[in-house]
Amino acid sequence: MCGITGWVDHTRDLSGQGPLLTAMAATMAPRGPDGSGVWLSPHAALGHRRLALIDLATGGQPMTPAGPAGTAPPAVLVFSGEVYNHGELRAELARRGHAFRGRSDTEVVLRAYLEWGEGAFDRLVGMYAFALWDTRSETLLLVRDRLGIKPLYWTRRGDGVIFGSEPKAVLAHPEVPAEVDAEGLAALFTVAIKPPGQGVYRGLDEVRPGHVVRVDRDGVRHRRYWELTTAPHTDDLPATVAEVRRLLGDAVGSQLESDVPLIALLSGGIDSSAIVALAARRLAEDGDRLATYALDFTGSETDFKPDALHVSRDAPFVRAVAGHVGTDHTDVSVETTSLVGELSPALRARDMPGVGDLDVSLLLLFREVRRHAAVALSGEGADDFFGGYPWFRAEAERPTDNFPWSAGIKDRNAQLSPQLREALDLDAYVADAYRTALAEVPRLDGESGADRRMREVFHLQITRFLPFLLDRKDRMSMANGLEVRVPFCDHRLVEYLWNVPWEFKRTGGQEKGLLRRAVADLLPEKVVRRPKSGFPFGHSPAYLDAIRRTVRTIVADPAAPVLDLVNVPAVRAMVDSDAWFNGDFTPPPWLPRLIQLDQWLREYGVRVVL
């Protein structure tokens, strides 16, 4: 999967910056435990950490095309991710006269650029973020995949930019301070609200999904190379079901290539179960058997309590799928009390506060999975494209004119300290972010009522909530050197589903009814009919008490930096009640996030600039 970083400046000589680039890349060693490299020139310095999954012998980076000794390469590439159609592109490029020294998709991307220029990016199918330095024009191109599955951050400095797969690589540069302003704090105090491209740290941006950032002597420019196209859906329901099955099957099949062990994550829900069934069937054609892994918490048999997002325990459904499909299955059991101690590692994986134990449980699952495999398939994205969350149906019946997952919060500012409320109005921030997001929705002429609203909801989901989930998945997996592939985020499937009407997606009267119908023949009936149940998190009294004790320690420390930001009396009241632990997403449990906020201010030395 890899981590990339670099520094471009047209007015400085960067050819002696090897130690700095090595240090910047080293911050992402977990992303790339299998190798590292640096490439230097007067105005561009590139660094790379490699997780070797395909073409282990010749896929090292930074990569330049083969050429005569002593000649400058036309381009240099540092790449993170996977291009699933690299075989087809390699064959086409070979017909056009290109010679390849290995089998890596990185070399294909480099050769594709030399053949088609920026037009090559439209041809890529996969998840990726890469930086390409064109030595001929001294131009840097920062490119991110269509859905934003893989991250890429950048900041302007001098006559150029500094970039990296994660904020930590950029912050390792001595000219980039760790600062946060009101806009960044607003993003942290809300969930899945921030606009695409905003990097939380002051002055830090993300390359937007489906975009290219071009840096040359004339400055910085942005170009979108992909967007959803709105059109009437002309297939009837049976044809739609068949096309979804075909597209999903193709996506899963294309993502099975790996020169190292590959497994699948299994929760017993329709999303992961569909991926498992399709992958197992494809692997069986070659005589291989799929291994699956699932997460559970010790004591969940007695501790589990149903709530708005967690309607049933995963374990019985996991066993049903593994037995029906015939996988080599392993359960990963996590002690809930360990979640508190892992809040800090989860923070360092994100480089900023996340969603507490919701992050940690994923981090621990991936840590165990990495002991056995370097690549995992995941069902992430199905809820976002098929309408799986409870708020989809609610919005179809009673539109809220808000971000659906945030509509239930009455007073966001109640959690802020009095001094912070003078500089920051979270309700106004959310309202403004919602207006901006709504203006981006590509409309269909004549669409009205529930159909119009549901198109808005799906666009909000794809452009705001899904990136939050993908970011979480990337950080928690790559902190363990594990690549997680997400077949539901294949852009060809997404493009098709974008125009499928809501009544089709909810066929049969159940959330994700279209997906259930498309894979019903592959799975046990009880799994096909199982209602949506969210990723498990800690329910045990011991864990909840540990959270309370930790927060009490923080608020009792007059030097705790977080006290300048939060409403301390409200926090104390929350500690003494269960209001912070409602099992809903409005908002996620607040106290674990507060712990991470305090850790972040301390460990990263973040300066608040208001």
Side-chain angles (χ1 to χ4, degrees):
M1 182 54 63
C2 309
I4 67 173
T5 191
W7 182 14
V8 165
D9 194 312
H10 290 92
T11 61
R12 291 184 178 182
D13 184 354
L14 305 181
S15 55
Q17 296 295 334
L20 175 57
L21 266 293
T22 298
M24 291 167 66
T27 65
M28 301 181 293
R31 293 189 79 93
D34 299 325
S36 62
V38 168
W39 184 89
L40 302 171
S41 71
H43 301 306
L46 306 180
H48 186 262
R49 295 289 312 199
R50 188 185 186 203
L51 175 62
L53 304 177
I54 297 174
D55 191 10
L56 308 186
T58 63
Q61 299 180 45
M63 183 175 286
T64 59
T71 61
V76 187
L77 178 65
V78 283
F79 179 90
S80 170
E82 300 289 343
V83 173
Y84 302 124
N85 65 332
H86 69 96
E88 296 93 324
L89 291 173
R90 180 183 288 102
E92 183 175 355
L93 289 164
R95 289 193 294 269
R96 292 172 174 265
H98 290 266
F100 293 87
R101 59 191 170 201
R103 298 185 299 106
S104 75
D105 51 355
T106 303
E107 188 176 12
V108 170
V109 173
L110 182 56
R111 286 285 174 184
Y113 174 75
L114 295 176
E115 179 66 31
W116 298 302
E118 292 189 38
F121 309 151
D122 299 314
R123 298 170 178 259
L124 305 180
V125 176
M127 56 177 189
Y128 47 82
F130 58 86
L132 191 148
W133 174 249
D134 190 318
T135 63
R136 300 162 299 186
S137 61
E138 294 197 318
T139 298
L140 175 72
L141 300 173
L142 301 176
V143 185
R144 198 169 178 206
D145 66 66
R146 295 166 178 84
L147 275 300
I149 304 169
K150 303 316 299 176
L152 185 53
Y153 292 85
W154 65 282
T155 186
R156 296 192 191 212
R157 282 299 182 276
D159 188 29
V161 300
I162 300 165
F163 64 88
S165 293
E166 297 181 6
K168 57 174 61 71
V170 181
L171 293 172
H173 193 288
E175 296 181 15
V176 183
E179 297 177 339
V180 64
D181 56 17
E183 185 179 18
L185 287 174
L188 293 177
F189 276 94
T190 56
V191 174
I193 301 296
K194 76 178 183 70
Q198 201 254 38
V200 177
Y201 286 93
R202 185 173 182 233
L204 187 67
D205 294 305
E206 281 190 274
V207 179
R208 293 189 61 165
H211 279 67
V212 178
V213 175
R214 182 184 180 93
V215 184
D216 57 24
R217 292 184 179 275
D218 294 326
V220 178
R221 285 165 287 175
H222 305 256
R223 179 178 71 84
R224 170 179 276 176
Y225 71 90
W226 180 82
E227 60 185 323
L228 291 166
T229 301
T230 301
H233 184 71
T234 57
D235 290 345
D236 62 13
L237 181 57
T240 301
V241 170
E243 183 64 1
V244 167
R245 173 66 170 266
R246 183 190 71 81
L247 289 168
L248 182 58
D250 288 350
V252 171
S254 70
Q255 298 188 26
L256 293 175
E257 181 185 6
S258 176
D259 291 343
V260 297
L262 175 149
I263 62 93
L265 306 173
L266 178 59
S267 71
I270 190 65
D271 310 345
S272 64
S273 299
I275 300 300
V276 165
L278 290 166
R281 174 174 287 196
R282 185 66 65 92
L283 289 172
E285 295 173 359
D286 297 326
D288 295 325
R289 186 177 170 115
L290 180 67
T292 53
Y293 286 77
L295 173 74
D296 199 3
F297 290 102
T298 54
S300 66
E301 300 90 343
T302 56
D303 293 336
F304 178 82
K305 296 178 179 61
D307 58 44
L309 285 181
H310 304 85
V311 300
S312 58
R313 287 184 63 235
D314 287 346
F317 299 92
V318 167
R319 288 193 294 268
V321 174
H324 183 84
V325 174
T327 69
D328 290 326
H329 183 72
T330 301
D331 288 313
V332 176
S333 183
V334 172
E335 292 282 349
T336 52
T337 52
S338 69
L339 294 178
V340 179
E342 295 290 344
L343 286 170
S344 185
L347 165 70
R348 291 193 294 273
R350 273 192 186 265
D351 290 321
M352 60 190 70
V355 282
D357 49 301
L358 298 176
D359 284 349
V360 172
S361 56
L362 204 58
L363 182 76
L364 295 176
L365 171 63
F366 292 152
R367 184 181 297 167
E368 178 60 28
V369 168
R370 185 60 175 93
R371 302 179 195 274
H372 309 278
V375 184
L377 299 179
S378 166
E380 198 79 84
D383 287 311
D384 308 271
F385 305 127
F386 288 93
Y389 292 106
W391 51 75
F392 280 95
R393 180 179 179 181
E395 288 291 327
E397 297 173 353
R398 296 178 302 279
T400 61
D401 195 29
N402 202 333
F403 292 104
W405 53 91
S406 181
I409 304 175
K410 303 303 181 184
D411 181 11
R412 295 174 180 83
N413 295 314
Q415 60 191 305
L416 305 182
S417 66
Q419 58 266 39
L420 187 55
R421 282 200 295 268
E422 294 179 3
L424 180 60
D425 184 343
L426 292 179
D427 293 322
Y429 170 82
V430 172
D432 182 66
Y434 179 71
R435 286 190 297 270
T436 299
L438 213 58
E440 298 172 359
V441 180
R443 307 288 183 177
L444 181 64
D445 290 342
E447 201 167 50
S448 61
D451 289 335
R452 178 181 175 88
R453 177 54 181 166
M454 293 313 292
R455 189 175 293 280
E456 293 174 348
V457 171
F458 275 102
H459 199 266
L460 294 172
Q461 191 78 23
I462 293 169
T463 60
R464 294 328 191 257
F465 198 84
L466 178 63
F468 154 76
L469 294 176
L470 293 174
D471 187 67
R472 168 176 171 252
K473 182 88 67 178
D474 174 84
R475 296 306 192 285
M476 298 307 118
S477 61
M478 294 311 298
N480 292 291
L482 176 72
E483 174 176 290
V484 176
R485 299 175 181 175
V486 283
F488 281 111
C489 293
D490 185 296
H491 77 273
R492 297 162 298 186
L493 175 61
V494 174
E495 288 171 345
Y496 183 76
L497 289 171
W498 169 243
N499 289 305
V500 172
W502 170 243
E503 62 179 307
F504 280 16
K505 291 179 179 176
R506 196 171 168 79
T507 185
Q510 188 174 8
E511 85 281 351
K512 294 180 287 191
L514 175 59
L515 174 60
R516 297 174 191 277
R517 184 164 169 177
V519 298
D521 62 309
L522 300 175
L523 297 166
E525 183 177 359
K526 76 172 189 176
V527 173
V528 174
R529 295 183 177 276
R530 183 193 184 193
K532 162 71 180 175
S533 193
F535 190 80
F537 61 96
H539 286 78
S540 82
Y543 165 67
L544 303 183
D545 287 344
I547 289 290
R548 289 187 173 97
R549 288 195 303 272
T550 303
V551 174
R552 287 191 180 107
T553 299
I554 291 173
V555 298
D557 178 6
V562 75
L563 300 187
D564 292 332
L565 303 180
V566 300
N567 183 339
V568 175
V571 170
R572 288 197 175 103
M574 200 177 291
V575 169
D576 295 329
S577 74
D578 291 328
W580 61 277
F581 189 74
N582 59 12
D584 204 342
F585 209 89
T586 54
W590 167 237
L591 293 186
R593 299 173 63 213
L594 183 146
I595 295 171
Q596 285 192 315
L597 182 60
D598 187 68
Q599 292 173 336
W600 180 61
L601 294 169
R602 294 175 189 263
E603 294 181 19
Y604 280 71
V606 177
R607 188 169 76 96
V608 178
V609 181
L610 298 176

